Every structure is written in structure tokens, then in C-alpha cells.
């Protein structure tokens, strides 16, 4: 049984952030983020806690997140404000309204996976009764959270892929795949000596464009229409986890419902988002591919039925210095793109720097595909294991070198936004270790 004294260092760090912020939940970080409960930050660091022997702490945080749910619709906001707010928050003023208690959009739904991991954490500690009690107590809230997305999508079209309500709902706020509603200076056409000024101007215009889009949504004259690869892959994977939860809590009809929906979502991702000519996955809008590349487009690696050529294409990009192979992997957009901003000069996030949660997901996906193809495509499987091990190793070295920060320079490993310390989900670097022997398994 795990005791407080034996908890890993990163759990102590998370507990310290909670104490420093003076909140009942663990904040994404004490600086800049302690004004709200954040959706996928909470689920990701709950997984980090549960895997590292702290299911009690993980349960506490996840149940606080679930308490923010709209009991009628199942909606769980990206941000639930804690009252004081930030001293200056244009998004809250213009997009949500100054009296809003939360954002009006959600985030990638990882609640089911977090619940499975917490349940496993209790079982590992020999607390099977607590594991079952936790799952049964929170099952209905989790089921409502996934039905919220299905019901919302049913009002938009007859498909199963989720249409984002806002770019921020993707979790990758300013990823350049969401630039369609913004006016920006093209870096490849700006004289080199003017590049620093252009990046500052683009940072301002990028933020202004997001605020305008959100304001139009608030007054009912504009709805966003992008279907994101990463978001829908996470959604599909978690529908499978919901099916497992349903089985484990005696909801057989629900298990069938969630399992079938997971298959439908996955099939649509592989059919509608894959471009066989480019051999890449792309987000879509109005049925057309948004032909900009992003680390989010590697997420079909976590699916159950990704084809061997699709896995091989992802590997090729991950291993190419022109794409995602940097000293400290993985950059959030490809190195070769004009929008690549490894130094965070704009400053807008998700336009080049490394994020630990992306590495964690891609590493998991590579391991999954290695296991799937070991018997039929052993060379592909070994390459998946080798690449997963390299990313996991470098990610752990990155947080050892620069701390648990929000994001990092992919060339130098330098922590960007240096004032933000102990970013909660960056503790995922502690649970992505892969045994080196797996890279040579035959």
C-alpha cells in the first residue's frame, strides 16, 4: 500500500502547487492558471497521479472537475472560474460575459480514461472496494459527458465526428490549423529584418481574431466548424474506455452504445480525415481538408484500426528533421513550416514549442501500434518501439533539465514562459518510460 512518505517527487510537486494556490483542486499551475478549474489539465494530471500511486489525490481532483458539470446536458466547461479571476481577462469580458461562471466550450474528453486509471490505482493498492465505489459513484456523470458531445453533434449533422465549438475547445488554442478566421502577416513574404516585428503583430492579431470569433458566437452570428483530428481521436479512444466502465459497473446496454459509437467515430476519422495522396491526416471544415500539418494529426496512432501505411507515414514524419525530429521532440507544428515559432516570439501557444502531453500521447500510440503489428509487420513494430522509446527518454530528460514547465524550445530544451512553474500535466513525463529492451523485441 502506498503511503504519503513513499509518493514520487512529482506528486509532492503537485501537492505543493495545490497548497500554494490555496485551492481544493490541483491547479494547472499556480501562476496564470489558478483562477479556474481547467478541464483536460485536471484529467491529465489525475492520470499522472493515479499511475504514480496517488489514486486518492487523483479521485479528489477528478470529482471536483465533475462537480462543474451541467447536470441536464452533461457539459463540462474548459474553465470554471473560481470568482476572483485574472486582473485582466478580455476573453471572459467579451466572449463569455463578465458575469459568466465558466467558458461556453469544453475540451478533449479524457474523463473515462482518467476514471479507469484511478480505478486501477485503487486496485493496485489493494482497495478494490474503493475502486468499485469510485467507478459507480461517478459513472453517470462520465456517461453524460460523452453523450453531451454526441447530442450536440446530432444538432449539426448526421455524422459522428465532433465539430469544435471554438479553436480553444481542441486544447491547442492557437495551432495554425485554426488560422482560417484570422488575418496574419505571411512570414515567408516578410523581409527577415522585419520578422521580429511581424511576429509581435501576428500575436496581437491572432488573439484579436480569437476574441472576435468568440464574440460573434456569443451574439449568435457565427459558429465555428472545424473537426479536429486530435480531438476526435481522443474522443474515440475514450468512448472505448466508457464501454469498459459501463461493463465494470453493470451497464451492458451502455457498454454496447459506447463501443459502437467509438467504432463509428474511428471509422469516420480514418475515412474522412485521411488524404491518400499526401498520406497524412488533416482536420476538416465543410467536408474539406485543412491542409496544414500539426502534431495533433499524429493522433490516429492511438486508434485501434489505423492502417500500416498510415502508421508508417506518421513514423516517417516523426523521424524527419524537416518535420518533427528535433533535439527535444516533438515540436507542435513541423519545423519546415513558415509559422514554426520555436522561441515563442509571437507570443501565441501551440505554434512550435514542445508539450509533454503530446509526447505522452504519441508515445502511447506508437507502443499500441507496435503491439498490433508485431506478428504481421515486425519491422514496422520494431520501428514504433524504437521511436516511442526515444521520445519517452528525451521527454524525461527534458523535464529533468528544465523542470515541469508549460512548453519548451524544441531545439534547446529551454523552458518558455519561465514564470510559470510546475505545470501539472508535464508530470506525465514521469509515467511514459519504456523499457529499452522493447525497442529490439522481435
Amino acid at each position: 500500500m502506498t503511503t504519503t512518505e513513499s509518493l514520487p517527487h512529482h506528486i509532492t510537486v503537485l501537492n505543493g502547487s495545490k497548497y500554494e494556490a490555496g485551492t481544493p483542486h490541483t491547479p494547472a499551475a499556480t501562476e496564470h492558471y489558478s483562477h479556474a478549474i481547467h478541464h483536460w489539465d485536471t484529467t491529465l494530471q489525475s492520470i499522472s497521479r493515479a499511475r504514480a500511486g496517488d489514486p486518492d489525490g487523483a479521485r479528489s481532483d477528478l470529482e471536483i472537475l465533475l462537480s462543474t458539470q451541467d447536470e441536464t446536458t452533461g457539459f463540462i466547461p474548459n474553465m470554471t472560474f473560481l470568482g476572483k479571476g485574472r486582473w485582466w481577462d478580455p476573453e471572459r469580458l467579451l466572449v463569455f460575459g463578465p458575469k459568466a461562471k465558466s467558458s461556453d466550450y469544453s475540451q478533449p474528453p479524457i474523463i473515462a480514461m482518467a476514471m479507469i486509471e484511478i480505478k486501477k490505482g485503487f486496485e493496485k493498492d489493494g482497495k478494490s472496494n474503493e475502486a468499485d465505489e469510485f467507478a459507480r459513484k461517478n459513472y453517470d456523470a462520465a456517461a453524460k459527458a460523452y453523450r453531451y458531445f454526441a447530442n450536440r453533434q446530432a444538432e449539426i449533422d448526421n455524422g459522428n465526428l465532433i465539430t469544435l465549438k471554438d479553436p480553444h475547445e481542441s486544447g491547442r488554442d492557437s495551432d495554425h490549423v485554426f488560422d482560417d478566421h484570422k488575418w496574419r502577416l505571411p512570414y515567408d513574404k516578410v523581409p527577415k529584418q522585419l520578422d521580429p516585428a511581424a511576429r509581435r503583430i501576428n500575436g496581437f492579431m491572432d488573439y484579436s481574431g480569437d476574441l472576435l470569433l468568440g464574440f460573434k458566437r456569443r451574439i449568435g452570428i457565427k459558429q465555428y466548424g472545424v473537426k479536429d483530428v486530435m480531438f476526435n481521436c481522443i474522443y474515440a479512444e475514450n468512448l472505448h474506455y466508457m464501454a469498459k466502465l459501463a461493463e465494470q459497473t453493470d451497464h451492458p446496454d451502455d457498454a454496447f452504445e459506447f463501443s459502437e459509437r467509438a467504432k463509428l467515430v474511428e471509422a469516420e476519422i480514418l475515412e474522412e480525415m485521411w488524404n491518400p495522396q499526401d498520406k497524412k491526416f488533416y482536420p476538416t471544415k465543410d467536408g474539406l481538408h485543412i491542409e496544414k500539418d500539426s502534431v495533433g494529426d499524429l493522433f490516429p496512432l492511438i486508434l485501434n484500426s489505423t492502417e500500416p501505411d498510415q502508421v508508417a507515414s506518421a513514423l516517417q514524419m516523426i523521424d524527419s528533421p524537416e518535420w518533427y525530429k528535433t533535439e527535444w521532440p516533438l515540436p507542435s507544428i513541423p519545423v519546415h513550416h513558415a509559422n514554426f515559432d520555436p522561441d515563442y516570439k509571437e507570443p501565441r501557444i501551440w505554434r512550435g514549442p514542445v508539450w509533454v502531453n503530446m509526447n505522452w500521447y504519441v508515445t502511447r500510440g506508437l507502443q499500441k501500434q507496435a503491439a498490433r503489428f508485431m506478428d504481421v509487420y515486425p519491422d514496422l513494430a520494431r520501428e514504433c518501439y524504437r521511436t516511442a522509446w526515444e521520445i519517452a527518454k528525451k521527454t524525461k530528460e527534458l523535464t529533468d533539465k528544465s523542470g515541469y514547465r508549460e512548453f519548451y524550445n524544441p531545439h534547446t530544451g529551454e523552458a518558455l514562459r519561465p514564470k510559470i512553474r510546475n505545470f501539472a500535466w508535464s508530470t506525465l513525463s514521469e509515467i511514459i518510460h519504456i523499457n529499452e529492451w522493447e525497442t529490439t523485441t522481435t
Side-chain angles (χ1 to χ4, degrees), residues 323-379:
W323 287 83
Y324 297 105
K325 190 175 181 62
T326 52
E327 178 65 23
W328 302 96
L330 293 158
S332 40
I333 68 171
V335 170
H336 72 262
H337 202 282
N339 286 331
F340 180 61
D341 184 21
D343 303 305
Y344 184 54
K345 288 181 178 178
E346 281 202 20
R348 297 295 283 155
I349 56 178
W350 295 99
R351 304 185 75 88
V354 175
W355 295 76
V356 169
N357 61 334
M358 296 293 100
N359 290 8
W360 178 72
Y361 257 113
V362 171
T363 300
R364 288 180 54 244
L366 288 167
Q367 291 181 84
K368 182 172 195 169
Q369 302 310 321
R372 285 183 64 215
F373 294 121
M374 184 57 70
D375 292 336
V376 288
Y377 297 104
D379 290 343

Side-chain angles (χ1 to χ4, degrees), residues 244-306:
K244 288 183 181 180
L245 276 174
E247 289 175 356
Q248 294 171 4
T249 54
D250 302 319
H251 294 85
D253 292 342
D254 286 5
F256 179 79
E257 171 198 339
F258 289 123
S259 179
E260 290 303 299
R261 186 175 299 152
K263 294 173 186 176
L264 291 171
V265 173
E266 183 163 335
E268 289 186 24
I269 292 170
L270 299 179
E271 179 180 351
E272 297 180 19
M273 294 181 155
W274 174 248
N275 184 318
Q277 286 74 42
D278 292 355
K279 294 190 178 299
K280 287 182 284 188
F281 287 95
Y282 291 121
T284 65
K285 185 174 184 179
D286 300 325
L288 301 175
H289 288 150
I290 301 174
E291 295 184 351
K292 290 183 179 179
D293 301 290
S294 162
V295 70
D297 301 338
L298 301 176
F299 271 61
L301 288 169
I302 70 174
L303 300 180
N304 292 334
S305 52
T306 311

